[in-house]
Amino acid sequence: MGQSATPHSSAPDLRVSLGPLHLANPVLTASGTFGYGLEFSDFLDLSRLGGIVVKGISLKPRPGNPPPRLAETPCGMLNAIGLENVGVERFLRDKLPPLRQRGAVIIVNILGNTVEEYAELASVLSGVSGIAALEINISCPNVKRGGMAFGTDPHMAAQVVAAVRARTSLPLITKLSPNVTSIAEIARAAHDAGSDILSCINTVSAMAVDPFSRRPKLANIVGGLSGPAIKPIALRCVYETVRAVSCPVIGIGGIQTAMDALEFLVVGASAVQVGTANLVHPRASLHILEGIEKFCRHQGIGAITDYIGTLDTACRFPFADESCSVEPPAREPV
């Protein structure tokens, strides 16, 4: 590694296995930032990514929260969309078939107000052709019912996961919240209840106000903070989660570049999800994937699995090899 690495002439092997879920590479999109996938199909070949995690799906359509629902912050963004979606019936009829035709690995994020709703959704989606896995959203901070309430209590988290596990054989990912005292405790509860994989983190509960109007910038008052500002929090959560459970972990939070993604991988995440960056640049996920490949070539890494989880905590003053630039190119017109 570092200055002494010998560049690889052949393409690195970027394949990763997350328990029962096998992916061509470790770069996925994060739910809620990539629509249903189809919205981005004019900008990139969806089949090139490790997977597409679609916008959260509920049993019935949801209108979401009233506007304003978005607010920019320094190095980030607040959202209180409220899990607006078309509902599972329309998703299966209108969204899934064309997405499936594009060759994408499709992961469906599911949500509910009750344990029973999660279980019923899992039953409806189980066995549907083209769905590779389910991601259980128990960590959304900007809805009044369900959402984060399930993700902040280990017993409730376990109840949801167990109910979903009983209704499907699909690989299960549980999306964890950073808004807890111990993410490791929630992680263990979800894993013990049957989750094959854990993803962390969802957005950080936050708010913003306008000092002139003296009003909150979001109609919901509180929303979820995402973007570069939360990356250090996300890294810490992934670090703690990886050490708390034996199942694979997907890192999420503030990933804008390949170097950001590599930080999560070296800490121990088996894959990453790219979120808010997609709203800045619709090809961000692809640029990150290409940057990871370039990094591996330059560093002489034959397989990304040889790099994952190799954090050296004894090295307090690492010196990066700055000759390897894997930043994305300048923003393209869209």
Side-chain angles (χ1 to χ4, degrees):
M1 300 292 291
Q3 298 285 357
S4 61
T6 302
H8 258 254
S9 58
S10 59
D13 183 357
L14 298 182
R15 292 174 296 175
V16 292
S17 291
L18 284 66
L21 183 62
H22 306 290
L23 305 175
N25 63 71
V27 179
L28 303 93
T29 61
S31 177
T33 64
F34 209 70
Y36 298 100
L38 300 170
E39 298 89 335
F40 286 75
S41 60
D42 288 340
F43 300 103
L44 72 159
D45 179 356
L46 301 180
S47 68
R48 289 190 60 188
L49 299 178
I52 306 295
V53 186
V54 302
K55 186 175 179 61
I57 300 297
S58 53
L59 278 174
K60 302 296 182 182
R62 293 176 67 133
N65 291 325
R69 308 195 294 187
L70 293 174
E72 286 193 57
T73 67
C75 294
M77 180 187 78
L78 276 173
N79 94 82
I81 302 299
L83 302 174
E84 175 187 352
N85 74 94
V86 299
V88 69
E89 182 178 344
R90 279 192 58 196
F91 170 74
L92 292 176
R93 185 187 68 215
D94 302 335
K95 307 296 184 182
L96 182 61
L99 184 58
R100 191 165 48 206
Q101 290 173 2
R102 285 164 172 79
V105 174
I106 304 165
I107 299 170
V108 180
N109 180 286
I110 63 172
L111 57 104
N113 293 325
T114 66
V115 173
E116 291 72 22
E117 286 185 11
Y118 281 97
E120 187 175 347
L121 258 176
S123 181
V124 170
L125 295 169
S126 186
V128 174
S129 176
I131 297 178
L134 301 181
E135 181 178 65
I136 309 170
N137 185 356
I138 56 170
S139 52
C140 181
N142 56 61
V143 291
K144 297 292 190 293
R145 294 186 298 161
M148 196 171 68
F150 292 117
T152 55
D153 182 298
H155 302 293
M156 293 183 70
Q159 285 182 25
V160 173
V161 175
V164 172
R165 177 77 288 166
R167 303 291 284 273
T168 183
S169 60
L170 284 169
L172 292 185
I173 306 166
T174 302
K175 191 168 188 177
L176 304 181
S177 170
N179 306 301
V180 294
T181 302
S182 171
I183 196 168
E185 184 180 11
I186 308 295
R188 283 190 289 266
H191 177 46
D192 291 346
S195 189
D196 302 296
I197 307 158
L198 301 174
S199 59
C200 56
I201 56 175
N202 209 322
T203 54
V204 177
S205 186
M207 67 180 291
V209 299
D210 182 338
F212 292 100
S213 67
R214 309 181 203 181
R215 294 177 177 174
K217 291 187 176 181
L218 298 175
N220 195 61
I221 303 177
V222 173
L225 178 66
S226 62
I230 73 167
K231 191 183 78 172
I233 299 171
L235 276 171
R236 186 265 302 171
C237 288
V238 169
Y239 178 79
E240 293 179 357
T241 301
V242 165
R243 280 148 186 79
V245 295
S246 58
C247 67
V249 175
I250 301 172
I252 319 167
I255 298 172
Q256 304 284 307
T257 69
M259 296 306 289
D260 292 332
L262 287 160
E263 288 186 56
F264 283 88
L265 296 177
V266 77
V267 162
S270 297
V272 297
Q273 290 181 13
V274 181
T276 303
N278 294 310
L279 306 179
V280 178
H281 195 316
R283 291 172 60 85
S285 299
L286 184 58
H287 288 321
I288 288 168
L289 173 59
E290 292 170 343
I292 291 173
E293 181 176 357
K294 180 178 179 181
F295 177 87
C296 289
R297 284 180 183 271
H298 185 274
Q299 295 294 306
I301 300 168
I304 193 65
T305 51
D306 294 335
Y307 182 79
I308 290 170
T310 57
L311 182 69
D312 182 2
T313 55
C315 181
R316 298 189 179 184
F317 301 100
F319 295 93
D321 181 357
E322 296 181 356
S323 66
C324 178
S325 174
V326 293
E327 299 300 307
R331 182 174 178 179
E332 300 172 357
V334 296

